[in-house]
Each structure stands twice: as C-alpha cells, then as structure tokens.
Amino acid sequence: MSHTTEWKTRTYLFEEDGTTRVRVELDTGTNRLTGHGTARCNPMDKDVPEIGDELATARALEDLAAQLKQIARRDMAAVGAGPRPASLKPYGGGGWMDGPVDR
C-alpha cells in the first residue's frame, strides 16, 4: 500500500533576557498539536542566542514527539494493534514497534 501525505509545521522562537521559548505547531490534517520548549542561558556563560534556539527547539520537538507517540498508541489500541507484552519476543513479520527490534 502506497501512501503520501504532507504535514505542515511552524516553529516560533522568542528570546528575551537570556531565555528562549519555542512553540512548534504541527497540523497533520486530522490533529493539531503544539510542542513547547525553553532554554535559559546561565548568567556565567556567554550569551549565544543560536545555542538557546537549538536547545529550546529540540525540547519543543521532543514535547511534540511525545504527544505524537501518545496519539499513535491510542490509535493502535483502537484497532487492536497495541504494544506486545514484554514476555513475548519481537517478531520480524511487521507490525508497530516502539524502538529498535532485537533479533
């Protein structure tokens, strides 16, 4: 089955007094999610705005990723394809897995 889609994202960065705040908005067509991240410059460190941008954006994307996983797990459960019990070995025949598969 072939499937192509486009998800739209917008990233907003706000910096004030050594603190960077980031909001990442994701529109999947069926869900609209917002991730948030913050980075603060230590007063003893040199203020390099790019570093704050990178850290705060990474944290916002991590927040967004956690939300997406939560939605995916909910959707998987709704169709009876939830995670396999830890007592069962992963299988190579496909299915939805969380993380790498040890074979």
Side-chain angles (χ1 to χ4, degrees):
M1 175 174 101
S2 182
H3 173 76
T4 303
T5 190
E6 179 179 338
W7 289 3
K8 295 177 178 31
T9 59
R10 289 194 176 263
T11 304
Y12 302 93
L13 295 89
F14 310 92
E15 184 172 346
E16 188 175 335
D17 299 325
T19 299
T20 303
R21 288 179 176 43
V22 173
R23 183 177 77 236
V24 178
E25 297 175 355
L26 171 67
D27 182 355
T28 69
T30 56
N31 291 298
R32 286 179 173 236
L33 305 172
T34 303
H36 298 274
T38 302
R40 290 177 187 80
C41 182
N42 184 322
M44 303 296 289
D45 292 339
K46 181 178 178 184
D47 188 9
V48 182
E50 183 177 275
I51 294 171
D53 293 350
E54 293 164 347
L55 284 172
T57 301
R59 291 170 179 160
L61 290 169
E62 288 172 338
D63 180 34
L64 192 61
Q67 293 177 52
L68 279 170
K69 282 184 179 181
Q70 194 171 40
I71 289 170
R73 287 186 184 113
R74 183 191 67 217
D75 291 346
M76 288 166 46
V79 297
R84 295 174 58 80
S87 61
L88 297 177
K89 285 261 188 211
Y91 56 96
W96 303 102
M97 310 247 179
D98 195 13
V101 176
D102 298 325
R103 296 188 197 264

